[in-house]
Amino acid sequence: MTYVIPALIVGLCGMMAGILLTVAAKVFHVEVDERIEKIGEALPQANCGACGYAGCADYAAAIIQKGAPTNLCRPGGADAAGKIAAILGTAAADVVPMVAVVHCNGDCNATQSAFVFDGVQSCKAVKRFYGGTGTCKYGCIGLGDCMNVCEHSAIRIENGVAKVTPALCGACGQCAAVCPNQLIEIKPLAKHIDVLCSSADNGKVTKLNCKNGCIGCKICEKKCPNEAIKVENFHAAIDYEKCTGCGVCMEACPVKVIHSCEK
Amino acid sequence: MKSLMIILLAAMLTDNFVLSKFMGICPFLGVSKKLDSATGMGLAVTFVMICATLVTYPIHHGILVPNELEYLDTVVFIMVIALFVQLVETMLKKCIPSLYSSLGVYLPLITTNCAVLGVTVLNIDNGYSFVQSIVNALGGGLGFMLSLVIFSGVRKKMEYADIPETFKGVPATLIAASIVSVSFMGFSGLFN
């Protein structure tokens, strides 16, 4: 008996609790739209936030509950948009594949260090310390804050400058957010012509600081048949909506700062 | 009547569960960032404390004591508490989904909240009557809510404070909690 009664009491308590909870679960049952779960599975679960929602689960709920567009997922691209459209039973919305580009080509051969920095090895820290170690204060610092934040391992530091591997890039924009010099831009993958300089110094100073810098001569601006390239703040910038990728500017550039970033 | 009043105020102020007995610190630090989630958490804990006392007191005195099974107190009490926490969770999910998601993991954590189990065990240890036990649970719950609400105000102020880099985040929060606790020490000696 000394063993039976305690076992009975605990068992009975457990059973009562079980019954009560079952009844409560039935009474307070919440309908969850099963499409939300399915869309969540179709998304890449990178939780990068490029869609503008707090994460993949939040975006999935927003598609069902708030009618959010189905083509916002950048890492998932057309693949994810197609799957979401199939779940919703609608036509797949167009997805323009995007990619990150680093607007700087000031590698170790082209530019010099102004001083040696012994502090925390991060671009953000260096930037606060006299604007960076390089002679050009607008260029890539090269300590890889973007590389560290990239969840797709698409960025590497090559000869002191960040390079993006387009095949791996999810275009989530985390690198663009973390770069202290705002050198990284998310642009359409199909537009492969890029100006690899962001220096706002005038032509003479830029040339002094970096062999690969844009001198702002405006030759590209004059040669472009589509008016897609403009020189502002002493460096050229491409309007990707107008650019057709003809490559005229690339050939005309006297300092070879315009590159085709296809590979 | 006078003794009930004393029990209520003592549980709320002088013997405040969080600030004087340091029980239930985890939701105190975890859910006190916003006033509405702090209030919601306080109400949930109060509800669980009262319901658990309502059930555990009869179980202890009606079933366990006559059979000399007081050693089962902890197991049975935890089961009862878990039952009510699960009940609150199901109800919140249905009725107030926003509060449910803002409480997050801290809601199921009430199950193992030492303040809740503490109330039920202390009621037995102090030899309270049924009514006294319920008043003690009510006071404990309200005291818990009071400390959470006060602390959420403190944390709101701290967001605008210029805190030294090394203290930012958890250390500053813990220091602020200790200062709030010091202020509650002022209540000691209120009832003699």
Side-chain angles (χ1 to χ4, degrees), chain B residues 11-12 14 20-21 24 26 29 35 43-44 49 51 54 63 71 88 105 121 127 130 145 149 153 160 169 178 187-188:
Chain B
M12 269 179 76
T14 50
S20 300
K21 291 182 183 164
C26 108
L29 296 173
L35 181 63
L43 286 174
M49 275 181 175
C51 290
L54 274 174
I63 303 172
Y71 62 86
V88 170
V105 74
V121 173
F130 188 56
M145 188 158 87
V149 167
Y160 301 108
S178 72
F187 288 116
S188 59

Side-chain angles (χ1 to χ4, degrees), chain B residues 83-169:
Chain B
L83 162 75
F84 284 110
V85 172
Q86 186 62 59
L87 209 63
V88 170
E89 207 181 332
T90 346
M91 287 194 311
L92 277 187
K93 203 173 176 180
K94 171 84 179 176
C95 305
I96 322 171
S98 57
L99 182 62
Y100 174 78
S101 55
S102 74
L103 289 181
V105 74
Y106 293 101
L107 190 54
L109 278 184
I110 306 177
T111 319
T112 49
N113 188 325
C114 47
V116 180
L117 185 63
V119 161
T120 54
V121 173
L122 285 177
N123 282 337
I124 308 295
D125 288 356
N126 290 348
Y128 284 154
S129 73
F130 188 56
V131 181
Q132 281 173 330
S133 296
I134 289 169
V135 170
N136 188 37
L138 176 70
L142 290 178
F144 183 83
M145 188 158 87
L146 181 72
S147 51
L148 249 75
V149 167
I150 288 176
F151 198 53
S152 75
V154 172
R155 284 184 78 165
K156 192 117 202 172
K157 284 270 180 198
M158 274 171 58
E159 278 181 20
Y160 301 108
D162 185 20
I163 300 166
E165 198 65 38
T166 35
F167 283 97
K168 265 182 190 160

Side-chain angles (χ1 to χ4, degrees), chain A residues 159-170:
Chain A
N159 203 8
V161 172
K163 298 274 182 208
V164 178
T165 312
L168 296 174
C169 180

Side-chain angles (χ1 to χ4, degrees), chain B residues 9 13 30 58 66 70 85 99 118 120 162 169 175 191:
Chain B
L9 287 175
L13 303 174
E70 288 95 333
V85 172
L99 182 62
T120 54
D162 185 20
I175 291 168
F191 312 109

